[in-house]
Amino acid sequence: MKTNLFYRRVAVIGAGLTLFKRRIVETPREMSWVAARKALDEAGLELKDIDCVVIGSAPDAFDGVHMKGEYLAHGSGGVRKMVSRVFVGGATGVMVPISAWYHVASGLCQSVLAVAEEKMSPARPHPQSVFRYIWDPITEKPLNPNLIWIFAMEMHRYMYVNKVKKEDIALVSVKNKRNAINNPYAQAPANITVDDVLKSEVLVWPVNLLDVSPVSDGAAAMVITSEDIARRYTDTPVWIEGVGWTLDNTEWTGRELAYPRYLEHAARMAYKMAGIERPNKELDVIEPYDPFDYKELHHIEGLMVAKRGEAVKMLKEGVFDMDGDIPSSPSGGLLGVGNPIAAAGLMKAISIYWQLKGTAGKMQVKKPVHTGLAQAWGDLMQASTVVVMRN
Amino acid sequence: MSWDKVGREDKLLSWKDVMEAEEYVYTVGYAGEEFFKGLKEGKIIGSKCPKCGKTYVPATLYCEDCFVETSTVEVKGRAYLDSFTIIYKDSEGNKLESPQVIGLVRFENAKGGLLAFIEGEPKLGGEVEVIAYDVPLKVRVK
Ligand SMILES: [Zn+2]
């Protein structure tokens, strides 16, 4: 049963991406413009047709510019317009279409340009260094941790509780990098084997190099409009039918690592709005957030597409393959396309939009699709954002 | 609560640390490269919008109003001082040997402008000539 009758209908009518790659020549502003221009072109709109601009970007420190939303506004078409920036860490990319959605669903705006950008390459020696700020300065920082440590512990806990083997998790990396071969924007497409993953360099046990997405620069943009505008510009609008977002306990030590409860809450919100009762039967194609290979499985369980601990079984049965029942990360995901934080999340939403529009080209999944979902995750590993779309 | 107390650092339980990236390496971008190449040749490079005809200085990749790609042009309009200020102390608070004039230099028929060190007697609207093509620019009041 649908419950969102009091919202105005919201459609996606255009999207654009830059290449995802390392050390891109363009400035962050120029990257934003490239993606935004492509999205306007696909929609058939000009900047003058846009009422407001939503910008998503992760910490300022990545681009090395403070107040990055203001900085990016110029390349995002925000000059002399209503501009807002959303930021929920890694979950930002899907928060961008969610924010654009409430600008339109509330009746405030008719057409929104939604832009996400991240340039990870300016911070040296490695963008990881900017994450040094996120730890508790007294109890955690003295260990000099980095993010991969924490993910390694989460992965280990997930493997232990659900009796999952590392070679099974590696199948996600194999699948996503293979899917990325069909994606013209991808940074790390490859035909690899489980053995390649297991034999790649150990970064922080049990995380190996090929379990992780690469460091990237990139931008993504979407044009999101009211039903009125959508009907005027396209015969094939894609509707945003459900949105959800949740923040769990901000102390990572205060959570059960084996199961992403933050996501279950966000997903329930989006499903209720979209009238989805059985996600494993009603979702045709999904883009769960996969900065690490185990994270895709973790998130598939949080999305309630698989029961707890059973995502691996479905993966091995081929359910999540391009020709499976519920193709997962047909874009190639972060593992295959790259991980410019906020832009990567919006790229996942764009992938679903193109799948539902039928314009995903070589990325198009085999089965006919009607309902799709994109998800991102981040902040102190406890925030999740979900968007459900239909054609 | 300690509204009325001033904590002394050596009495507080505290943890001292440095948490910085070692350095940032910025790219100037496509338009920025054209602009910096121009400076080396003693030129001010801007960009012209094919749609509205506006010229921007310094060069930008796109027109902020029309949102279309621009092409680079040399900016040759008369340079003038839009505004200026006089600096008496450096950022540490030390008095400068002689006050430093900095200003916003604009070019006729171009949008935008460049910050510059100013030599000579500054006057709002007064014409200036570029004496060092650098960042920041150095200009002399004509
Ligand atoms: Zn123009």
Side-chain angles (χ1 to χ4, degrees):
Chain A
M1 191 187 70
K2 290 175 80 169
T3 58
N4 61 337
L5 297 173
F6 44 93
Y7 301 125
R8 286 168 174 81
R9 272 191 112 183
V10 179
V12 184
I13 64 166
L17 288 169
T18 64
L19 283 181
F20 282 16
K21 59 188 238 185
R22 194 134 194 220
R23 297 186 186 168
I24 225 164
V25 176
E26 284 94 336
T27 61
R29 261 183 190 171
E30 289 177 340
M31 287 158 63
S32 300
W33 173 76
V34 170
R37 182 68 252 176
K38 284 187 187 173
L40 286 171
D41 286 344
E42 187 178 303
L45 263 59
E46 282 300 330
L47 190 57
K48 64 174 170 48
D49 305 317
I50 296 292
D51 301 327
C52 51
V53 171
V54 172
I55 295 168
S57 207
D60 286 348
F62 283 140
D63 284 357
V65 182
H66 190 44
M67 298 177 72
K68 195 158 65 167
E70 286 73 3
Y71 165 74
L72 291 175
H74 194 274
S76 306
V79 176
R80 289 183 296 279
K81 286 196 197 308
M82 212 161 83
V83 178
S84 52
R85 174 201 183 181
V86 291
F87 170 45
V88 278
T92 301
V94 172
M95 197 63 210
V96 169
I98 292 175
S99 176
W101 171 85
Y102 55 67
H103 277 74
V104 177
S106 63
L108 186 66
C109 299
Q110 293 277 351
S111 51
V112 182
L113 186 53
V115 182
E117 182 277 343
E118 217 77 64
K119 192 163 189 180
M120 308 284 286
S121 57
R124 306 287 166 84
H126 191 279
Q128 275 290 342
S129 58
V130 309
F131 286 121
R132 287 180 201 160
Y133 294 89
I134 73 175
W135 313 104
D136 184 289
I138 293 168
T139 61
E140 291 166 6
K141 182 62 182 46
L143 274 82
N144 201 22
N146 67 41
L147 275 183
I148 305 181
W149 287 27
I150 305 306
F151 300 141
M153 283 192 265
E154 194 179 70
M155 177 171 172
H156 193 188
R157 183 79 196 159
Y158 176 74
M159 289 164 62
Y160 172 79
V161 170
N162 299 307
K163 300 180 181 57
V164 173
K165 290 190 293 229
K166 229 177 105 55
E167 49 263 47
D168 295 336
I169 288 175
L171 284 168
V172 174
S173 193
V174 172
K175 166 179 75 70
N176 290 6
K177 284 178 183 291
R178 185 179 59 220
N179 289 353
I181 293 172
N182 296 321
N183 189 333
Y185 301 97
Q187 175 181 0
N191 253 319
I192 56 165
T193 63
V194 167
D195 230 33
D196 293 332
V197 180
L198 298 178
K199 285 186 180 148
S200 64
E201 189 190 346
V202 182
L203 300 179
V204 181
W205 190 88
V207 176
N208 293 38
L209 184 65
L210 290 177
D211 289 313
V212 190
S213 55
V215 173
S216 321
D217 299 346
M222 248 186 183
V223 175
I224 293 174
T225 71
S226 64
E227 181 167 11
D228 251 19
I229 305 270
R231 298 276 185 214
R232 218 177 298 162
Y233 285 89
T234 177
D235 294 327
T236 53
V238 171
W239 306 101
I240 296 180
E241 301 234 315
V243 299
W245 67 102
T246 308
L247 218 67
D248 196 353
N249 193 335
T250 50
E251 285 181 7
W252 69 273
T253 50
R255 301 192 303 275
E256 164 56 80
L257 300 179
Y259 183 72
R261 189 171 294 280
Y262 53 83
L263 175 52
E264 186 185 320
H265 285 260
R268 283 188 190 281
M269 175 179 164
Y271 293 157
K272 191 175 176 199
M273 203 180 281
I276 291 175
E277 284 163 359
R278 295 171 305 162
N280 60 331
K281 298 273 184 255
E282 294 174 54
L283 292 171
D284 300 315
V285 55
I286 57 173
E287 283 277 357
Y289 204 61
D290 63 323
F292 289 68
D293 45 11
Y294 81 94
K295 257 346 254 199
E296 178 155 327
L297 302 171
H298 204 235
H299 286 152
I300 282 172
E301 291 170 20
L303 287 167
M304 297 165 284
V305 169
K307 289 192 187 125
R308 285 197 197 192
E310 289 187 8
V312 150
K313 197 173 128 246
M314 292 167 76
L315 175 75
K316 283 157 86 177
E317 286 166 358
V319 173
F320 305 126
D321 286 344
M322 289 292 280
D323 55 358
D325 279 349
I326 311 171
S328 180
S329 296
S331 66
L334 278 55
L335 289 162
V337 193
N339 188 5
I341 315 283
L346 187 53
M347 178 277 289
K348 293 218 132 212
I350 290 172
S351 163
I352 294 299
Y353 157 67
W354 281 338
Q355 289 289 342
L356 295 173
K357 205 176 175 68
T359 57
K362 278 172 31 190
M363 295 179 275
Q364 193 73 40
V365 300
K366 298 288 172 288
K367 60 181 272 194
V369 286
H370 172 53
T371 307
L373 173 148
Q375 176 248 333
W377 154 79
D379 259 2
L380 279 167
M381 296 79 82
Q382 91 295 19
S384 210
T385 44
V386 174
V387 60
V388 173
M389 291 184 254
R390 286 203 182 95
N391 53 18
Chain B
M1 297 293 284
S2 54
W3 301 101
D4 52 346
K5 290 178 188 164
V6 177
R8 283 207 6 231
E9 214 184 345
D10 56 351
K11 291 272 172 65
L12 299 172
L13 180 61
S14 62
W15 189 274
K16 291 216 172 110
D17 209 341
V18 178
M19 302 199 287
E20 298 287 348
E22 277 171 30
E23 60 174 345
Y24 280 92
V25 179
Y26 296 99
T27 48
V28 293
Y30 283 110
E33 272 180 25
E34 296 296 323
F35 178 73
F36 281 97
K37 264 192 280 175
L39 287 183
K40 281 193 185 131
E41 294 164 12
K43 294 177 188 165
I44 301 293
I45 298 295
S47 45
K48 194 176 167 72
C49 173
K51 214 166 162 183
C52 67
K54 272 197 289 286
T55 298
Y56 291 94
V57 64
T60 67
L61 180 63
Y62 52 90
C63 171
E64 65 190 45
D65 292 330
C66 308
F67 232 46
V68 295
E69 192 164 348
T70 55
S71 52
T72 52
V73 286
E74 189 181 348
V75 175
K76 289 176 169 163
R78 190 181 72 103
Y80 63 96
L81 200 53
D82 189 73
S83 187
F84 69 89
T85 185
I86 307 168
I87 315 295
Y88 288 88
K89 286 181 177 176
D90 68 14
S91 48
E92 323 276 79
N94 304 313
K95 199 160 194 281
L96 294 172
E97 272 178 39
S98 56
Q100 172 74 58
V101 184
I102 60 156
L104 171 57
V105 173
R106 292 197 198 271
F107 300 82
E108 257 176 16
N109 303 318
K111 222 185 147 182
L114 296 165
L115 289 177
F117 289 129
I118 316 293
E119 287 183 9
E121 198 62 44
K123 193 172 119 240
L124 254 60
E127 190 171 354
V128 296
E129 61 175 333
V130 180
I131 52 173
Y133 288 86
D134 212 341
V135 175
L137 210 63
K138 201 176 275 178
V139 302
R140 186 186 296 122
V141 180
K142 270 190 173 175

